[in-house]
Amino acid sequence: MRTEHVRTALAIAETASFRAAALRLGISQSTVSAHIDSLETELGVTLFERSRSGARLSAAGRLVHSALLGLRDAEDVLRDAARGAITDTSEVIRVAAVNAAVTTVLPESLHALVDDPAVEVRVSIRGSRDVIDRIRSQRADLGVIAYEVGREPDSVGIRIDPLLTGSVGVLTPPGHPIARARRVTTADLRGQRLVAFHPGYLMHAVAERLLADADVRVVSHVDSTPDAIRQVAAGVGICLVPDFSVVAGDADEWRALEGAADRIGLALIRREDAVPSSRLRRLEQEIHRHAADYRRRHGTPTGSTTVRVTV
């Protein structure tokens, strides 16, 4: 089994799109398809369900997903050990982050280290609980998590530095009646079809609490914001997401949910007892700087905005 095929499968699972996975990996979409065809043939199962709105893990794909993650992590450990044997001046910085970090503070921050030939930054996109677990178990050096303001995660053993806070809002297809309303409350969502996040994700708990009396109908579950955006664009349903999870563009519409006191935060975390290298400190500083820039540029939306969908 070739590890690049495993990484391709995981990239599709994280982006919910063959095209987006190709862009992330820097390879052609036909190569992505060839990798998956080879892996599915070798495993004897279909890993993804393809549709016009993207790709999602099949039932068999969900069963083997954790094993694929284990293979990728094992390769990372092996490569780290090999690099350490070659030189003690090179450095691998492991960053685990939620999807929202990729649309806000992370990409520009990484530019601070791209010209340093002795450092490699590896970014893996994961849920907040997994990010925290990786920081505590020393499988990641730096993490970016999402959390509910006022319901911060257990901070024992980790340092939590807030970066952004945002409002909870409703993501709808363009032209949806909710998007045209002057104001949107939970009562306006009654009877709507809902694209929900799987249990264990932050926005699953937020949506359950906010929509407890709204009588919404859950029609789909997703593992990532990009997947939610694509399903909303395809007309599957609406979805609750924080404002910083969306990217300004020309497709789905986001409306602030009035009366929702819930605020979602984005925070930088690392182990309290960790002694960061100079490069890691520099990356932390860049993340904080770009978070401040993001706050100045975007502020907090109070009406509506649109998001770009790439399938």
Side-chain angles (χ1 to χ4, degrees), residues 3-33:
T3 54
E4 61 263 38
H5 296 177
V6 171
R7 290 182 181 274
T8 299
L10 291 173
I12 296 170
E14 291 166 0
T15 62
S17 165
F18 276 55
R19 179 183 176 186
L23 291 172
R24 174 184 290 188
L25 297 170
I27 58 179
S28 67
Q29 191 168 336
S30 61
T31 300
V32 167
S33 297

Side-chain angles (χ1 to χ4, degrees), residues 12 47 66 122-123 141 152 176 196 199 201 210-211 227 239 242-243 245 249 264 268 271 283-284:
I12 296 170
L47 295 174
S66 60
R122 294 181 184 168
V123 179
D141 306 300
E152 285 75 7
H176 192 283
Y201 283 82
L210 290 178
L211 304 180
D227 193 11
C239 186
D243 50 37
S245 290
I264 306 300
L268 186 67
R271 283 175 61 93
L283 180 56
E284 286 183 309

Side-chain angles (χ1 to χ4, degrees), residues 6 14 26 71-72 101 118 152 198 216 266 275 278 291 294 300 302 306:
V6 171
E14 291 166 0
L71 286 172
R72 181 187 66 183
E152 285 75 7
H198 279 292
V216 296
L266 205 63
V275 180
S278 60
Y294 186 92
T300 302
T302 56
T306 56

Side-chain angles (χ1 to χ4, degrees), residues 198-240:
H198 279 292
Y201 283 82
L202 173 67
M203 290 310 298
H204 175 87
V206 173
E208 274 202 331
R209 187 170 60 253
L210 290 178
L211 304 180
D213 299 320
D215 192 29
V216 296
R217 181 165 63 93
V218 177
V219 293
S220 178
H221 283 89
V222 295
D223 292 304
S224 70
T225 302
D227 193 11
I229 290 173
R230 291 181 181 89
Q231 292 203 26
V232 170
V236 176
I238 63 171
C239 186
L240 296 192

